[in-house]
Amino acid sequence: MAHQPLHEHTLGNGLRVVVCEDHFVPLAAVNIWYGVGSRHEVAGRTGLAHLFEHLMFQGSANVAEGEHAAVLESAGATFNASTSFERTNYYETLPVSHLELALWLEADRMGTLPAALTQANLDNQRDVVKNERRQRYDNQPYGTAFERLCALTFPSGHPYAHTPIGSMEDLDATTLEDCTAFFRTWYAPGNAVLSIVGDVDPEKAIAAVERYFGGLPAGPTPPPARPGDLGPLTGIHGEDVAEEVPSPAYFAMFPLPSDGTDDVEAAELAVEILGGGSGSRLYDRMVRRDEIATEVWAGVTRLAGGPSLAIVDAVGPDPAKIAEVLDDELARFAAEGPDADEAARATAQAERGFLEQTETVTGLANALSANATQFGDPSRVFTAPERAAAVTAGQIKDMAGRWLAPGARTALIYGGNA
């Protein structure tokens, strides 16, 4: 599909830069992806990638504690960061007149963060992360479901067996030396992609990046992440969860092909047809017809360094009955495949998702960084609708039979009997 041309440049220290002009509004989005996430952590230090996301806002050599956020707010910026299995990203969108301020702030913390790393900062942000874990995971109904499913799905020690939030014990054990070593290993220009989207002149934007980032040392070549391959599961590996929850529920996880493959496109369309909203097969069967669930949903987490993951969750009084009907619908789908209307709706939903992802300068900058980091090609983002549209009903059926087979998943039962 047609899109604004991309301007790509690599600095001498390895930092990859992607610039896309968008003169619709006088804004600039700055987005940095570092190629480090929870899959790069070592045993005993889980949660370090996410902890670092917080530490990166605590100052650097030329920015006092609390000043990073204050300066951006005074410039009218919106900003945030996030951590996943595979990356940590930092992003701000602000009036284009303040673009160089954003670049200076990002360069200062990329180059000099250890200068501001103190025991007090570490203790403070460790407490913030632990509290986040309590609020979003441990004390939230079904909050540990994804974490539990990953631990069930992947062998112990597998890079995806633990999630980015990390464990309380590992967070408590993390030292200032651990943080400094983690920064030196992963937060280097050669392990980062910087994308700029907005009302900018590409040549001037790249020249500004050279000014602020060009003098930073390249840093070491980061060690390779451990491979994360995993094929379709055999059998059902289940666990009863003894937690107080508002209603019984059933959660299931299925490995899928890795992101970047043709197969993942068909697999995601299959999951959309099965459980992507109120028009899906599982919703129609479980909620409307059999009335065994009050809600049911399925979705995909795409991962490039290992298997993507499909998750099904259904809330209803009899989780065992939900599991039985799930197997029934999976078997029917594997045997019949989708009809033409289902395939068309799923493809349309994929295109809608692409448009939602890229309709703002903020979203597009993140998508460019993602595709540059994971696939070496930022322009790949623009072919997402074509990739989905190229999938045939036969391919969807094949993917369902191989990866979403009945009796082949990990599962959690909340408040019911297996």
Short mmCIF file of all heavy atoms in Angstrom, two decimals, residues 186-239:
data_model
loop_
_atom_site.label_atom_id
_atom_site.label_comp_id
_atom_site.label_asym_id
_atom_site.label_seq_id
_atom_site.Cartn_x
_atom_site.Cartn_y
_atom_site.Cartn_z
N TRP A 186 23.14 -4.19 27.40
CA TRP A 186 22.00 -4.10 26.49
C TRP A 186 21.67 -2.69 26.02
O TRP A 186 21.08 -2.53 24.95
CB TRP A 186 20.76 -4.70 27.16
CG TRP A 186 20.92 -6.14 27.51
CD1 TRP A 186 21.10 -6.67 28.77
CD2 TRP A 186 20.97 -7.25 26.62
NE1 TRP A 186 21.22 -8.03 28.70
CE2 TRP A 186 21.14 -8.42 27.40
CE3 TRP A 186 20.86 -7.38 25.23
CZ2 TRP A 186 21.21 -9.69 26.84
CZ3 TRP A 186 20.92 -8.65 24.67
CH2 TRP A 186 21.10 -9.78 25.46
N TYR A 187 22.01 -1.67 26.80
CA TYR A 187 21.60 -0.31 26.44
C TYR A 187 22.72 0.39 25.68
O TYR A 187 23.30 1.36 26.14
CB TYR A 187 21.20 0.46 27.70
CG TYR A 187 19.76 0.18 28.09
CD1 TYR A 187 19.41 -1.01 28.74
CD2 TYR A 187 18.75 1.07 27.78
CE1 TYR A 187 18.10 -1.28 29.08
CE2 TYR A 187 17.43 0.80 28.11
CZ TYR A 187 17.12 -0.37 28.76
OH TYR A 187 15.81 -0.65 29.08
N ALA A 188 23.01 -0.12 24.51
CA ALA A 188 24.05 0.43 23.65
C ALA A 188 23.43 0.85 22.31
O ALA A 188 22.42 0.28 21.89
CB ALA A 188 25.14 -0.62 23.42
N PRO A 189 24.01 1.84 21.65
CA PRO A 189 23.45 2.29 20.37
C PRO A 189 23.24 1.18 19.35
O PRO A 189 22.25 1.16 18.62
CB PRO A 189 24.48 3.31 19.88
CG PRO A 189 25.14 3.81 21.11
CD PRO A 189 25.18 2.64 22.06
N GLY A 190 24.17 0.21 19.33
CA GLY A 190 24.07 -0.87 18.36
C GLY A 190 22.96 -1.85 18.65
O GLY A 190 22.65 -2.71 17.82
N ASN A 191 22.31 -1.72 19.82
CA ASN A 191 21.19 -2.59 20.17
C ASN A 191 19.89 -1.81 20.20
O ASN A 191 18.94 -2.19 20.88
CB ASN A 191 21.43 -3.25 21.54
CG ASN A 191 20.52 -4.44 21.78
OD1 ASN A 191 20.26 -5.24 20.89
ND2 ASN A 191 20.03 -4.57 23.01
N ALA A 192 19.85 -0.70 19.45
CA ALA A 192 18.68 0.18 19.50
C ALA A 192 18.27 0.66 18.11
O ALA A 192 19.09 0.75 17.19
CB ALA A 192 18.97 1.39 20.39
N VAL A 193 16.99 0.94 17.98
CA VAL A 193 16.42 1.58 16.80
C VAL A 193 15.69 2.83 17.25
O VAL A 193 14.88 2.78 18.19
CB VAL A 193 15.45 0.65 16.04
CG1 VAL A 193 14.70 1.42 14.94
CG2 VAL A 193 16.19 -0.53 15.44
N LEU A 194 15.96 3.95 16.60
CA LEU A 194 15.30 5.22 16.90
C LEU A 194 14.45 5.62 15.70
O LEU A 194 14.97 5.80 14.59
CB LEU A 194 16.35 6.30 17.19
CG LEU A 194 15.88 7.76 17.23
CD1 LEU A 194 14.87 7.96 18.34
CD2 LEU A 194 17.06 8.70 17.40
N SER A 195 13.15 5.74 15.92
CA SER A 195 12.24 6.17 14.85
C SER A 195 11.67 7.54 15.18
O SER A 195 11.32 7.82 16.34
CB SER A 195 11.10 5.16 14.67
OG SER A 195 11.59 3.92 14.19
N ILE A 196 11.56 8.37 14.15
CA ILE A 196 10.99 9.71 14.28
C ILE A 196 9.91 9.85 13.21
O ILE A 196 10.18 9.64 12.02
CB ILE A 196 12.05 10.81 14.10
CG1 ILE A 196 13.17 10.66 15.13
CG2 ILE A 196 11.41 12.20 14.20
CD1 ILE A 196 14.36 11.58 14.88
N VAL A 197 8.71 10.16 13.62
CA VAL A 197 7.61 10.36 12.68
C VAL A 197 6.95 11.69 12.99
O VAL A 197 6.67 11.99 14.16
CB VAL A 197 6.56 9.23 12.78
CG1 VAL A 197 5.38 9.49 11.85
CG2 VAL A 197 7.19 7.87 12.46
N GLY A 198 6.68 12.49 11.95
CA GLY A 198 5.96 13.73 12.19
C GLY A 198 6.34 14.83 11.23
O GLY A 198 6.86 14.59 10.13
N ASP A 199 6.11 16.04 11.67
CA ASP A 199 6.25 17.23 10.84
C ASP A 199 7.72 17.66 10.81
O ASP A 199 8.09 18.72 11.31
CB ASP A 199 5.36 18.33 11.43
CG ASP A 199 5.25 19.55 10.54
OD1 ASP A 199 5.57 19.44 9.34
OD2 ASP A 199 4.86 20.61 11.04
N VAL A 200 8.54 16.78 10.24
CA VAL A 200 9.99 16.99 10.27
C VAL A 200 10.58 16.98 8.88
O VAL A 200 10.00 16.44 7.93
CB VAL A 200 10.69 15.89 11.12
CG1 VAL A 200 10.19 15.93 12.55
CG2 VAL A 200 10.47 14.51 10.52
N ASP A 201 11.74 17.57 8.76
CA ASP A 201 12.57 17.46 7.57
C ASP A 201 13.52 16.29 7.81
O ASP A 201 14.33 16.33 8.75
CB ASP A 201 13.35 18.75 7.34
CG ASP A 201 14.30 18.66 6.15
OD1 ASP A 201 15.26 17.84 6.21
OD2 ASP A 201 14.10 19.38 5.18
N PRO A 202 13.44 15.22 7.02
CA PRO A 202 14.25 14.02 7.31
C PRO A 202 15.74 14.28 7.43
O PRO A 202 16.39 13.76 8.34
CB PRO A 202 13.93 13.09 6.14
CG PRO A 202 12.57 13.51 5.69
CD PRO A 202 12.54 15.00 5.87
N GLU A 203 16.29 15.09 6.52
CA GLU A 203 17.73 15.34 6.57
C GLU A 203 18.12 16.08 7.85
O GLU A 203 19.12 15.74 8.50
CB GLU A 203 18.17 16.14 5.34
CG GLU A 203 18.14 15.33 4.04
CD GLU A 203 18.74 16.11 2.89
OE1 GLU A 203 19.32 17.20 3.12
OE2 GLU A 203 18.63 15.62 1.75
N LYS A 204 17.30 17.06 8.24
CA LYS A 204 17.59 17.80 9.46
C LYS A 204 17.42 16.91 10.69
O LYS A 204 18.18 17.01 11.66
CB LYS A 204 16.70 19.03 9.55
CG LYS A 204 17.02 20.10 8.53
CD LYS A 204 16.10 21.31 8.67
CE LYS A 204 16.43 22.39 7.64
NZ LYS A 204 15.49 23.54 7.73
N ALA A 205 16.41 16.04 10.67
CA ALA A 205 16.18 15.14 11.80
C ALA A 205 17.35 14.18 11.97
O ALA A 205 17.82 13.94 13.09
CB ALA A 205 14.88 14.37 11.61
N ILE A 206 17.82 13.61 10.87
CA ILE A 206 18.96 12.68 10.93
C ILE A 206 20.22 13.42 11.39
O ILE A 206 21.01 12.89 12.20
CB ILE A 206 19.16 11.98 9.58
CG1 ILE A 206 18.01 10.99 9.34
CG2 ILE A 206 20.51 11.28 9.53
CD1 ILE A 206 17.98 10.38 7.95
N ALA A 207 20.40 14.65 10.91
CA ALA A 207 21.56 15.44 11.36
C ALA A 207 21.49 15.70 12.86
O ALA A 207 22.51 15.66 13.56
CB ALA A 207 21.61 16.76 10.59
N ALA A 208 20.28 15.94 13.37
CA ALA A 208 20.13 16.16 14.81
C ALA A 208 20.45 14.89 15.59
O ALA A 208 21.10 14.93 16.65
CB ALA A 208 18.71 16.63 15.12
N VAL A 209 20.02 13.75 15.08
CA VAL A 209 20.34 12.48 15.74
C VAL A 209 21.86 12.28 15.76
O VAL A 209 22.43 11.86 16.77
CB VAL A 209 19.64 11.30 15.04
CG1 VAL A 209 20.10 9.97 15.64
CG2 VAL A 209 18.12 11.42 15.16
N GLU A 210 22.51 12.59 14.67
CA GLU A 210 23.98 12.48 14.63
C GLU A 210 24.62 13.36 15.69
O GLU A 210 25.56 12.95 16.37
CB GLU A 210 24.50 12.88 13.24
CG GLU A 210 24.37 11.80 12.18
CD GLU A 210 25.49 10.77 12.24
OE1 GLU A 210 26.27 10.77 13.23
OE2 GLU A 210 25.59 9.95 11.31
N ARG A 211 24.09 14.58 15.86
CA ARG A 211 24.67 15.50 16.85
C ARG A 211 24.55 14.96 18.27
O ARG A 211 25.50 15.04 19.05
CB ARG A 211 23.96 16.87 16.77
CG ARG A 211 24.46 17.79 15.69
CD ARG A 211 24.08 19.24 15.96
NE ARG A 211 22.66 19.45 16.17
CZ ARG A 211 21.75 19.56 15.20
NH1 ARG A 211 22.15 19.44 13.94
NH2 ARG A 211 20.48 19.77 15.47
N TYR A 212 23.38 14.43 18.60
CA TYR A 212 23.13 14.04 19.99
C TYR A 212 23.60 12.62 20.31
O TYR A 212 24.00 12.35 21.43
CB TYR A 212 21.65 14.19 20.32
CG TYR A 212 21.21 15.63 20.30
CD1 TYR A 212 20.34 16.12 19.33
CD2 TYR A 212 21.69 16.54 21.25
CE1 TYR A 212 19.95 17.45 19.30
CE2 TYR A 212 21.31 17.87 21.23
CZ TYR A 212 20.44 18.32 20.25
OH TYR A 212 20.08 19.64 20.23
N PHE A 213 23.53 11.72 19.35
CA PHE A 213 23.86 10.31 19.61
C PHE A 213 25.20 9.88 19.01
O PHE A 213 25.75 8.87 19.42
CB PHE A 213 22.77 9.39 19.04
CG PHE A 213 21.45 9.46 19.74
CD1 PHE A 213 20.52 10.43 19.41
CD2 PHE A 213 21.12 8.55 20.75
CE1 PHE A 213 19.29 10.50 20.04
CE2 PHE A 213 19.89 8.61 21.39
CZ PHE A 213 18.97 9.60 21.04
N GLY A 214 25.70 10.64 18.04
CA GLY A 214 26.87 10.19 17.29
C GLY A 214 28.11 10.01 18.14
O GLY A 214 28.97 9.18 17.83
N GLY A 215 28.23 10.76 19.23
CA GLY A 215 29.42 10.65 20.07
C GLY A 215 29.36 9.56 21.11
O GLY A 215 30.35 9.34 21.83
N LEU A 216 28.24 8.84 21.19
CA LEU A 216 28.14 7.77 22.18
C LEU A 216 28.93 6.55 21.72
O LEU A 216 28.90 6.19 20.55
CB LEU A 216 26.68 7.37 22.40
CG LEU A 216 25.71 8.46 22.87
CD1 LEU A 216 24.32 7.88 23.05
CD2 LEU A 216 26.21 9.12 24.14
N PRO A 217 29.66 5.89 22.62
CA PRO A 217 30.41 4.69 22.22
C PRO A 217 29.47 3.57 21.81
O PRO A 217 28.35 3.45 22.32
CB PRO A 217 31.21 4.33 23.47
CG PRO A 217 30.46 4.97 24.60
CD PRO A 217 29.83 6.21 24.05
N ALA A 218 29.94 2.77 20.89
CA ALA A 218 29.10 1.68 20.35
C ALA A 218 28.70 0.68 21.43
O ALA A 218 27.61 0.11 21.38
CB ALA A 218 29.83 0.97 19.22
N GLY A 219 29.57 0.46 22.38
CA GLY A 219 29.28 -0.54 23.41
C GLY A 219 29.55 -1.94 22.90
O GLY A 219 29.86 -2.15 21.72
N PRO A 220 29.43 -2.93 23.77
CA PRO A 220 29.72 -4.30 23.37
C PRO A 220 28.63 -4.86 22.47
O PRO A 220 27.48 -4.39 22.49
CB PRO A 220 29.76 -5.06 24.71
CG PRO A 220 28.81 -4.29 25.58
CD PRO A 220 28.97 -2.84 25.18
N THR A 221 28.97 -5.87 21.70
CA THR A 221 27.94 -6.60 20.96
C THR A 221 27.15 -7.41 21.97
O THR A 221 27.72 -8.21 22.71
CB THR A 221 28.58 -7.54 19.92
OG1 THR A 221 29.36 -6.76 19.01
CG2 THR A 221 27.50 -8.30 19.15
N PRO A 222 25.83 -7.20 22.03
CA PRO A 222 25.06 -7.93 23.06
C PRO A 222 25.07 -9.42 22.79
O PRO A 222 25.11 -9.86 21.62
CB PRO A 222 23.65 -7.36 22.91
CG PRO A 222 23.59 -6.78 21.55
CD PRO A 222 24.98 -6.32 21.22
N PRO A 223 25.07 -10.22 23.84
CA PRO A 223 25.04 -11.67 23.62
C PRO A 223 23.72 -12.08 22.97
O PRO A 223 22.70 -11.41 23.16
CB PRO A 223 25.15 -12.24 25.04
CG PRO A 223 24.66 -11.15 25.94
CD PRO A 223 25.03 -9.86 25.27
N PRO A 224 23.72 -13.14 22.20
CA PRO A 224 22.46 -13.57 21.58
C PRO A 224 21.49 -14.08 22.63
O PRO A 224 21.89 -14.67 23.63
CB PRO A 224 22.90 -14.70 20.63
CG PRO A 224 24.18 -15.22 21.22
CD PRO A 224 24.84 -14.03 21.85
N ALA A 225 20.23 -13.82 22.39
CA ALA A 225 19.21 -14.39 23.27
C ALA A 225 19.13 -15.89 23.05
O ALA A 225 19.41 -16.39 21.95
CB ALA A 225 17.86 -13.75 22.98
N ARG A 226 18.78 -16.60 24.09
CA ARG A 226 18.64 -18.06 23.93
C ARG A 226 17.50 -18.37 22.98
O ARG A 226 16.47 -17.70 22.99
CB ARG A 226 18.36 -18.68 25.30
CG ARG A 226 19.51 -18.59 26.28
CD ARG A 226 19.05 -18.90 27.69
NE ARG A 226 18.15 -17.87 28.19
CZ ARG A 226 17.24 -18.07 29.13
NH1 ARG A 226 17.08 -19.27 29.66
NH2 ARG A 226 16.47 -17.09 29.54
N PRO A 227 17.66 -19.36 22.12
CA PRO A 227 16.58 -19.69 21.18
C PRO A 227 15.33 -20.14 21.92
O PRO A 227 15.41 -20.75 22.99
CB PRO A 227 17.16 -20.82 20.32
CG PRO A 227 18.26 -21.42 21.16
CD PRO A 227 18.81 -20.27 21.96
N GLY A 228 14.18 -19.84 21.33
CA GLY A 228 12.94 -20.11 22.04
C GLY A 228 11.96 -20.98 21.28
O GLY A 228 10.75 -20.84 21.47
N ASP A 229 12.43 -21.84 20.41
CA ASP A 229 11.52 -22.66 19.60
C ASP A 229 10.67 -23.58 20.47
O ASP A 229 11.11 -24.08 21.50
CB ASP A 229 12.31 -23.51 18.59
CG ASP A 229 12.96 -22.65 17.52
OD1 ASP A 229 12.53 -21.51 17.35
OD2 ASP A 229 13.90 -23.14 16.86
N LEU A 230 9.46 -23.81 20.02
CA LEU A 230 8.55 -24.74 20.69
C LEU A 230 7.47 -25.10 19.68
O LEU A 230 6.85 -24.22 19.09
CB LEU A 230 7.92 -24.09 21.92
CG LEU A 230 7.12 -25.00 22.85
CD1 LEU A 230 8.06 -25.89 23.65
CD2 LEU A 230 6.27 -24.17 23.81
N GLY A 231 7.25 -26.39 19.46
CA GLY A 231 6.24 -26.83 18.52
C GLY A 231 4.87 -26.92 19.15
O GLY A 231 4.69 -26.56 20.33
N PRO A 232 3.88 -27.42 18.41
CA PRO A 232 2.55 -27.62 19.00
C PRO A 232 2.62 -28.56 20.20
O PRO A 232 3.44 -29.47 20.26
CB PRO A 232 1.76 -28.26 17.85
CG PRO A 232 2.49 -27.89 16.61
CD PRO A 232 3.93 -27.81 16.99
N LEU A 233 1.78 -28.31 21.18
CA LEU A 233 1.75 -29.13 22.38
C LEU A 233 1.05 -30.46 22.10
O LEU A 233 0.27 -30.59 21.16
CB LEU A 233 1.03 -28.40 23.50
CG LEU A 233 1.66 -27.09 23.97
CD1 LEU A 233 0.80 -26.45 25.03
CD2 LEU A 233 3.07 -27.33 24.51
N THR A 234 1.34 -31.44 22.93
CA THR A 234 0.61 -32.71 22.89
C THR A 234 -0.01 -32.92 24.25
O THR A 234 0.65 -32.80 25.28
CB THR A 234 1.55 -33.88 22.55
OG1 THR A 234 2.62 -33.92 23.50
CG2 THR A 234 2.14 -33.71 21.15
N GLY A 235 -1.29 -33.19 24.28
CA GLY A 235 -2.00 -33.38 25.53
C GLY A 235 -2.39 -32.07 26.17
O GLY A 235 -2.02 -30.98 25.70
N ILE A 236 -3.16 -32.16 27.24
CA ILE A 236 -3.58 -30.98 27.98
C ILE A 236 -2.86 -30.97 29.32
O ILE A 236 -2.93 -31.93 30.08
CB ILE A 236 -5.11 -30.98 28.21
CG1 ILE A 236 -5.86 -30.90 26.87
CG2 ILE A 236 -5.50 -29.80 29.09
CD1 ILE A 236 -7.36 -30.94 27.01
N HIS A 237 -2.12 -29.90 29.56
CA HIS A 237 -1.40 -29.74 30.82
C HIS A 237 -2.18 -28.70 31.63
O HIS A 237 -2.14 -27.51 31.32
CB HIS A 237 0.04 -29.29 30.57
CG HIS A 237 0.77 -30.15 29.60
ND1 HIS A 237 1.36 -31.34 29.97
CD2 HIS A 237 0.97 -30.04 28.27
CE1 HIS A 237 1.91 -31.91 28.91
NE2 HIS A 237 1.68 -31.13 27.85
N GLY A 238 -2.89 -29.14 32.65
CA GLY A 238 -3.79 -28.26 33.37
C GLY A 238 -3.37 -28.00 34.79
O GLY A 238 -2.53 -28.71 35.37
N GLU A 239 -3.96 -26.97 35.36
CA GLU A 239 -3.68 -26.61 36.74
C GLU A 239 -4.93 -25.97 37.33
O GLU A 239 -5.55 -25.09 36.71
CB GLU A 239 -2.52 -25.61 36.78
CG GLU A 239 -2.08 -25.19 38.17
CD GLU A 239 -0.90 -24.23 38.10
OE1 GLU A 239 0.25 -24.69 37.95
OE2 GLU A 239 -1.14 -23.00 38.18
#
